[in-house]
Amino acid sequence: LGKNFGKQTLEILEKHPERIMHVEGIGKAKAKSIVEAWVSQREISRIMLFLRGKDVPVWLANKIYQKYGDQSLHKITTDPYALADEMTGVGFKTADQLAVKLGLDQMDPKRLASALICALKEAMQSGDLYLEFDELVDKSLEMLNFDTGLRELMVQRLGTLIEEKKIVLFLHEEKTIVCLPLALGVERSIAGRIKKLTETASAIKFDCKAIFDTLTTSPEKLGFYKDFIFSEEQKIAILTALQNKVCVITGGPGTGKTTLLRAVCGVLKG
């Protein structure tokens, strides 16, 4: 193309793309492919230049384009907080920094809503599916660097999100609890499966006395050293796990959770 059109190549691609079919070896299908690639690269360059102008890191700019494609500029200029709400690996702080550079008001309802939702997401990452109502408001105020004088404003925004069903509110043990719909759905699904499992007895029967004796006198039969000694609590836990279709084994590091699982697996293999 450069050989045929010289300095006019980009102008031809932009304004008269049909002319490239006059070049030897370029048919209708190939011309279409060239023009589509040019349009795509042109849009990517425009988006990247805009994002770099807002000090957006290259990795994030690429991620934004992969997520939103040609709608990237429209998405981030109309609602930069969507990055935190809809993209993994992008937190509220990153989205908020971009929003500031775009000139969004710090009182923008989208900013307040994003802080509330991101506070719940951060809680989930720490292992908490829910937060108490007041705790969520406090966390979101902290994220926004707002003082407590704006608490009522956050409560109102939270109420709107609840009405829109983007956040769920319910009472539990006289506490007002809030969570994301996803968290509630996951918990209910797990609870339903556990309930279904426990409604019927296990078809597998174990000789508990024989297993207890093996744990006491012949741990090597279960894959342990001959002189390995199970504590009484461990033996009870192993037998409990074997006799129940659902059993939760919990404890801090080094308390023997892996040992219990190895023993249970050893019994099942035997």
Side-chain angles (χ1 to χ4, degrees), residues 248-252 255 257 260:
V248 178
I249 298 175
T250 183
T255 55
K257 297 185 298 297
L260 295 183

Side-chain angles (χ1 to χ4, degrees), residues 87-119:
M87 295 177 63
T88 56
V90 179
F92 176 80
K93 185 177 180 180
T94 299
D96 199 38
Q97 289 173 343
L98 177 58
V100 169
K101 290 171 183 174
L102 290 171
L104 266 73
D105 192 296
Q106 66 170 353
M107 298 296 185
D108 191 299
K110 292 176 181 176
R111 183 173 188 251
L112 309 186
S114 182
L116 289 161
I117 290 172
C118 286

Side-chain angles (χ1 to χ4, degrees), residues 8-26:
Q8 293 183 305
T9 300
L10 296 182
E11 183 179 352
I12 295 295
L13 286 169
E14 185 72 32
K15 299 180 179 179
H16 307 286
E18 70 282 353
R19 287 180 57 186
I20 67 174
M21 287 190 292
H22 298 162
V23 177
E24 184 179 354
I26 297 181

Side-chain angles (χ1 to χ4, degrees), residues 46-63:
R46 189 166 72 93
I47 292 169
M48 291 300 181
L49 284 172
F50 176 84
L51 293 174
R52 291 302 296 142
K54 302 300 180 184
D55 296 324
V56 175
V58 174
W59 70 267
L60 180 55
N62 287 326
K63 198 167 186 177

Side-chain angles (χ1 to χ4, degrees), residues 227-238:
D227 56 353
F228 188 89
I229 299 175
F230 289 98
S231 69
E232 293 303 308
E233 287 184 345
Q234 287 177 317
K235 294 175 188 177
I236 293 171
I238 293 165

